[in-house]
Amino acid sequence: MAAAMLEKPKTKKQAIDEPAGQSQPSVKPPKAHRPKAAQLNVRIDPDLKAEGDRVLAQISLSPSEAIRAFYEFVVQNRNDIPFLEETLLGAGESAGLSEEAQRKMKALEEARACVAELMGDFQYPEDMDWAEHYDQLKYEHFVEKGMIPA
């Protein structure tokens, strides 16, 4: 009875809409929100930006359109990392990269060499990419362990 006395009095609409003994939350949860576009902030040498803007203007591209095209290019070539590295960084060049980026590139090259040595003569089947081959190997493993039927 004391708890009922401490409750906020109900309006007529609340008393009609709300079943006895149940209270409605006062605030509706927010709807899921996904932005229509992501924002990218980049620090770049002012002279490089000015020259790049001049070149982009000659081909009627805004900097935003050029960045979108760059990201689309990277995504389209995501399965050919060596091609991306050579195209974007040049053949073995590290000009313009920070010391940290150069260190990471060197570590990546060493890791690739290590994996190549461990893999030996192993080759992926020509008709599938690495992800499909990985899925096939997982399937074979689960069949072998009796976790799924063959």
Side-chain angles (χ1 to χ4, degrees), residues 35-96:
K36 291 183 180 181
Q39 183 173 343
L40 182 67
N41 296 313
V42 180
R43 295 193 185 278
I44 189 170
D45 178 75
D47 295 333
L48 177 61
K49 182 184 182 319
E51 184 64 26
D53 286 347
R54 279 192 286 278
V55 173
L56 291 173
Q58 290 175 353
I59 59 173
S60 302
L61 276 180
S62 71
S64 293
E65 291 168 330
I67 295 297
R68 275 189 220 97
F70 170 73
Y71 269 76
E72 288 171 3
F73 173 80
V74 169
V75 170
Q76 288 171 357
N77 293 284
R78 68 180 164 263
N79 292 327
D80 193 357
I81 299 301
F83 167 74
L84 282 175
E85 287 175 340
E86 185 171 336
T87 303
L88 300 176
L89 302 175
E93 295 179 16
S94 58

